Amino acid sequence: MPAKFLAIAPEGGQALRLSWTNVAFFAAVHALALLAPWFFSWSALGLLLFLHWLFGSIGICLGYHRLLSHRSFQVPKGLEYAIAFIGALALQGGPISWVGAHRQHHAHTEDIHLDPYSAQRGFWWSHILWILYPRPEFFDYQIYQKFAPDLARQPFYRWLDRYFLLLQVPLAVLLYALGGWSFVIYGMFVRTVLIWHSTWFVNSASHIWGYRTFESNDGARNLWWVSLVTYGEGWHNNHHTYPHMAKSGLRWWEIDVTWWSIKALQTLGLAKKVISSPPQGAGQG
């Protein structure tokens, strides 16, 4: 554990404190995921891959990120709520907290005090330590909801933000009914751990390694292997340059699976006002 982040307290604030509640929760989920070899089945593996895509690509990447955080396209309100519900099942927080933190990240990218997961504090801080050393300005509802007022005004999103954790209970019961403990281990714990780290790599690895197509004021980079495990989110230099675009992969070989889903919704007439190109006059650095 690097000492770098410990020396950087919030500006004018107290030293960072470890949340043992968060440590215990994340440690328990990781420990239960390690039971996977004793509960293996091909159907459980298939379930894992499906839920990783459904909750990760559709729920988080398409829903929480491109739809809610950046409003890069629009869908009917009922469909928007359904996608947000899927995002909540990924166990990455409620929509208001997720969107609020992400908008702060874009507004103050890599600022050691104002960016929730600033890469300037080191790899492990931006990967997970920002959650284990929670700061109230990023985890207190009364503060972070100010960065997502469009969501905070809607009762459904306030409910989802409050009760997202409890949604795991009926999901676990459903998985047990469908396939027993192997479905629970793979569909709940292994799935959760893999989606967590996949998403966290965007915050950490994609601000350290990779290439830069555009000159920008931050260290965001395009990293192919992060894009593979996050369905296109690893083209991070592209995204930080044009954050309101619905697609992140801009070159033919920059695979962006989440963009394919958005295009499918557009073809079906469900996605409207899709921002698919840079602002007029924008150029490559």
Side-chain angles (χ1 to χ4, degrees), residues 144-225:
Y144 67 68
Q145 58 92 18
K146 297 177 182 178
F147 293 88
D150 51 327
L151 304 186
R153 285 192 294 266
Q154 302 179 54
F156 174 77
Y157 285 125
R158 293 197 299 271
W159 176 85
L160 201 57
D161 203 70
R162 177 174 295 182
Y163 296 112
F164 75 93
L165 184 59
L166 293 179
L167 295 178
Q168 299 296 312
V169 176
L171 176 60
V173 172
L174 174 62
L175 293 179
Y176 181 80
L178 292 174
W181 285 112
S182 65
F183 271 35
V184 173
I185 296 298
Y186 277 81
M188 296 296 298
F189 302 109
V190 180
R191 175 268 303 175
T192 296
V193 168
L194 291 180
I195 294 180
W196 276 347
H197 287 283
S198 297
T199 304
W200 295 342
F201 276 133
V202 178
N203 302 334
S204 55
S206 293
H207 277 265
I208 298 175
W209 302 297
Y211 64 90
R212 290 163 57 85
T213 300
F214 302 97
E215 292 297 330
S216 58
N217 296 324
D218 55 64
R221 298 173 179 275
N222 295 324
L223 191 53
W224 68 270
W225 61 266

Side-chain angles (χ1 to χ4, degrees), residues 278-283:
Q280 188 173 7

Side-chain angles (χ1 to χ4, degrees), residues 12-25:
Q14 298 179 345
L16 302 174
R17 292 188 177 183
L18 185 66
S19 169
W20 287 107
T21 300
N22 290 1
V23 170
F25 174 76

Side-chain angles (χ1 to χ4, degrees), residues 30-57:
H30 280 76
L32 289 168
L34 293 177
L35 296 174
W38 289 273
F39 291 88
F40 175 81
S41 70
W42 289 108
S43 58
L45 179 61
L47 174 74
L48 166 65
L49 296 175
F50 172 72
L51 292 184
H52 190 281
W53 167 79
L54 180 64
F55 296 167
S57 180

Side-chain angles (χ1 to χ4, degrees), residues 92-103:
Q92 291 193 12
I96 302 176
S97 64
W98 201 102
V99 171
H102 190 71
R103 288 177 178 173

